[in-house]
């Protein structure tokens, strides 16, 4: 009898193990590479801290508070959120408001990624992928909409361009460099087909930015300005359609390009495995709304104080919006990308950097042009000569670096140096935005 029970128990364990493995695979298919990258900075919360509370709703609220507010290593930045609001209410110096708000957005961007991941536990991989496509670069989109509402088109363009450049050159370059150092005597391999698809979309984005810029030199400036705006709006629709086709390609027809190798890489990695969702479905949506609202408020502070911070610190507005804001805005995701490259999981790092660059260039930028069209704001795709050439060179350089499906530290070093060169250029070069600020 005992032996029969033992046998049943063993069979039961085998069945449970099999089910757990299937659930784990399905779970990883529901998580995007960018969510796994951001998860490297998270930490488990202890639910026993709220176990003594008798009221069920209050206990659940306390657990959610603990998970959302302290479930990350970036929770050390939590005081910057109330400090930013206090600084505005009591009229502190605007450079302080800018610095505090930007640090707070660094934390909130990671929390938006976390909450999107929690919701995707309940929705499945397809809807989870669509949520990630919507909220993956929520901070950039919120800052851009805030700048658009204040008719600060130049700041909007610099912040979005800076996000693309930082992902293509700094994040990708640092990942390749660190991964190359971790495999000093050899080469790292990655899924080339995924990189090729993203590179093609970015090249399409380069076309859509180059032609409106060149149109300015083709004829009368007054006529060209109106034509540039019309062409930009038409190109924005084309870019949004191409990004929609890319999502269909990524989530339905060719999802194996983007998931199969990532799932095999993270299988058995304790750093990214999670047993279950830590936040409920409707709680996740509620917290996502709260965090997004706070991010929108702080983005208003950043946009409204960046010019004062520029004058106070002696740095140009273009340099702050092109270099500093993008780096801090997605610091958690960037750090996770580098960590995975060090673990020889380069496909995840590439999905983070290329995925973010593609989403900003092909979704966020045309969205801003269309929203500006609706709001009556003349937002075009002409990012000026130096800025557009920098974007085009970054896309071409990254595409060349990834064309053969292998990587070593020299490729990463070259991408980092390209980013430094662009940073020096905008540190010295006085843009029209900087002249207006002076």
């Amino acid at each position: 009898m005992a032996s029969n029970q033992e046998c049943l128990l063993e069979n039961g364990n085998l069945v449970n193990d099999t089910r757990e493995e299937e659930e784990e695979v399905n779970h990883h298919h529901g998580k995007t590479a960018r969510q796994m990258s951001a998860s490297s900075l998270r930490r488990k919360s202890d639910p026993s801290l709220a176990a003594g509370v008798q009221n069920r709703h209050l206990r659940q609220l306390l657990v959610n508070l603990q998970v959302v507010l302290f479930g990350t290593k970036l929770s050390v930045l939590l005081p910057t959120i109330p400090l930013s609001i206090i600084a505005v209410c009591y009229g502190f110096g605007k450079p302080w408001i800018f610095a505090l708000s930007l640090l707070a957005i660094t934390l909130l961007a990671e929390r938006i990624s976390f909450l999107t991941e929690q919701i995707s536990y309940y929705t499945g991989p397809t809807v989870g992928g669509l949520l990630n496509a919507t909220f993956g670069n929520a901070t950039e989109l919120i800052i851009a909409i805030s700048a658009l509402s204040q008719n600060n088109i130049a700041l909007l363009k610099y912040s979005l361009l800076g996000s693309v450049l930082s992902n293509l050159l700094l994040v990708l370059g640092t990942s390749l460099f660190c991964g190359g150092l971790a495999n000093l005597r050899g080469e790292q391999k990655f899924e080339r087909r995924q990189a090729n698809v993203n590179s093609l979309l970015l090249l399409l984005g380069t076309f859509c930015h180059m032609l409106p810029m060149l149109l300015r030199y083709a004829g009368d400036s007054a006529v060209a300005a109106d034509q540039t705006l019309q062409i930009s709006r038409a190109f924005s629709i084309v870019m949004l359609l191409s990004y929609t086709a890319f999502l269909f390609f990524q989530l339905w027809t060719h999802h194996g390009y983007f998931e199969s190798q990532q799932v095999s890489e993270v299988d058995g990695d304790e750093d990214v495995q999670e047993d279950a969702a830590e936040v409920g479905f409707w709680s996740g949506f509620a917290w996502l709304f709260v965090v997004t609202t706070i991010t929108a408020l702080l983005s208003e502070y950043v946009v409204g104080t960046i010019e004062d911070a520029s004058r106070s610190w002696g740095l140009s507005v273009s340099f702050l919006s092109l270099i500093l804001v993008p780096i801090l805005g997605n610091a958690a995701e960037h750090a996770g990308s580098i960590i995975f490259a060090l673990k020889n999981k380069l496909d995840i790092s590439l999905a983070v950097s290329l995925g973010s660059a593609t989403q900003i260039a092909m979704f966020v930028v045309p969205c801003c042009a269309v929203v500006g069209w609706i709001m009556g704001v003349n937002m075009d795709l002409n990012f000026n000569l130096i800025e557009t050439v920098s974007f085009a060179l970054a896309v071409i350089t990254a595409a060349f670096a990834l064309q053969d499906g292998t990587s070593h530290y020299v490729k990463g070093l070259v991408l980092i140096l390209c980013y430094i060169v662009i940073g020096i250029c905008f540190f010295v070069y006085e843009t029209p935005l900087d002249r207006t600020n002076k």
Side-chain angles (χ1 to χ4, degrees), residues 164 167-177 187-203 337 341 346-358 393-415:
V164 175
N167 278 292
L168 279 180
L169 299 179
L170 181 63
V171 180
L172 178 59
T174 308
S175 298
L176 297 182
F177 181 72
E187 289 183 332
Q188 288 183 300
K189 298 186 183 297
F190 55 86
E191 177 54 67
R192 186 172 56 182
R193 294 175 298 181
Q194 176 192 155
N196 288 342
V197 173
N198 282 282
S199 297
L200 279 174
L201 275 178
L202 289 170
L203 286 171
S337 174
L346 202 57
D347 279 287
I348 298 178
S349 299
L350 263 62
V352 171
S353 54
L354 290 178
S356 293
T358 303
L393 291 176
V395 171
I396 295 171
T397 305
F400 265 105
L402 302 175
Q403 65 177 339
D404 61 351
T406 63
S407 173
H408 45 74
Y409 69 93
V410 173
K411 288 185 177 181
L413 179 62
V414 170
L415 292 178

Side-chain angles (χ1 to χ4, degrees), residues 17-29 31 36 259-274 340 343-345 348:
D17 289 343
T18 304
R19 289 176 178 173
E20 288 174 2
E21 288 175 2
E22 292 175 353
E23 291 173 358
E24 187 67 26
V25 170
N26 292 332
H27 162 62
H28 285 312
H29 275 281
K31 291 179 69 173
M36 288 187 285
E259 291 181 351
S260 59
Q261 191 164 351
Q262 293 167 11
V263 170
S264 63
E265 283 180 336
V266 300
D267 188 29
D269 192 333
E270 294 179 357
D271 292 337
V272 297
Q273 285 186 1
E274 296 177 5
F340 276 108
K343 294 179 178 180
N344 204 27
K345 297 169 183 175
I348 298 178

Side-chain angles (χ1 to χ4, degrees), residues 224-268:
D226 182 63
Q227 292 176 342
T228 299
L229 182 61
Q230 295 177 17
I231 288 176
S232 296
R233 289 170 174 172
F235 285 179
S236 297
I237 296 174
V238 172
M239 294 166 76
L240 288 174
L241 289 175
S242 67
Y243 190 74
T244 303
F246 171 69
L247 289 180
F248 185 80
F249 179 87
Q250 181 181 15
L251 299 176
W252 279 282
T253 62
H254 291 71
H255 58 82
Y257 283 14
F258 302 87
E259 291 181 351
S260 59
Q261 191 164 351
Q262 293 167 11
V263 170
S264 63
E265 283 180 336
V266 300
D267 188 29

Side-chain angles (χ1 to χ4, degrees), residues 30 71 78 109 119 121 153 230 238 255 305 313 316 327 353 369 402:
L78 188 61
I119 294 173
Y121 274 94
I153 306 300
Q230 295 177 17
V238 172
H255 58 82
T305 58
W313 297 346
S316 65
I327 290 176
S353 54
L402 302 175

Side-chain angles (χ1 to χ4, degrees), residues 106-297:
T106 303
L107 168 64
L108 293 172
E110 192 277 334
R111 291 290 83 189
I112 289 175
S113 174
F114 166 75
L115 291 168
T116 306
E117 175 190 327
Q118 295 298 301
I119 294 173
S120 68
Y121 274 94
Y122 303 95
T123 59
T126 301
V127 179
L130 292 174
L131 282 172
N132 181 69
T134 305
F135 291 97
N137 288 99
T139 51
E140 286 87 349
L141 183 59
I142 291 170
I143 291 175
I145 297 298
S146 176
L148 196 63
S149 65
Q150 299 181 32
N151 204 23
N152 198 337
I153 306 300
L155 176 60
L156 182 157
K157 291 180 178 179
Y158 279 115
S159 64
L160 294 181
L161 175 62
S163 296
V164 175
L165 294 179
S166 67
N167 278 292
L168 279 180
L169 299 179
L170 181 63
V171 180
L172 178 59
T174 308
S175 298
L176 297 182
F177 181 72
C178 294
L181 292 181
N183 299 269
L184 196 58
R185 300 295 180 181
E187 289 183 332
Q188 288 183 300
K189 298 186 183 297
F190 55 86
E191 177 54 67
R192 186 172 56 182
R193 294 175 298 181
Q194 176 192 155
N196 288 342
V197 173
N198 282 282
S199 297
L200 279 174
L201 275 178
L202 289 170
L203 286 171
L204 173 60
T206 303
F207 269 89
C208 294
H209 284 284
M210 289 286 288
L211 295 178
M213 185 270 295
L214 293 174
L215 188 64
R216 189 178 65 178
Y217 302 97
D220 182 69
S221 59
V223 176
D226 182 63
Q227 292 176 342
T228 299
L229 182 61
Q230 295 177 17
I231 288 176
S232 296
R233 289 170 174 172
F235 285 179
S236 297
I237 296 174
V238 172
M239 294 166 76
L240 288 174
L241 289 175
S242 67
Y243 190 74
T244 303
F246 171 69
L247 289 180
F248 185 80
F249 179 87
Q250 181 181 15
L251 299 176
W252 279 282
T253 62
H254 291 71
H255 58 82
Y257 283 14
F258 302 87
E259 291 181 351
S260 59
Q261 191 164 351
Q262 293 167 11
V263 170
S264 63
E265 283 180 336
V266 300
D267 188 29
D269 192 333
E270 294 179 357
D271 292 337
V272 297
Q273 285 186 1
E274 296 177 5
D275 294 332
E278 299 180 67
V279 178
F281 180 70
W282 293 112
S283 297
F285 271 110
W287 280 108
L288 187 61
F289 174 78
V290 171
V291 173
T292 305
T293 303
I294 297 174
T295 305
L297 175 64

Side-chain angles (χ1 to χ4, degrees), residues 412-434:
L413 179 62
V414 170
L415 292 178
I416 294 172
L417 293 177
C418 288
Y419 187 75
I420 293 174
V421 167
I422 293 176
I424 293 173
C425 176
F426 283 98
F427 182 81
V428 176
Y429 173 62
E430 191 177 69
T431 65
L433 176 62
D434 300 321

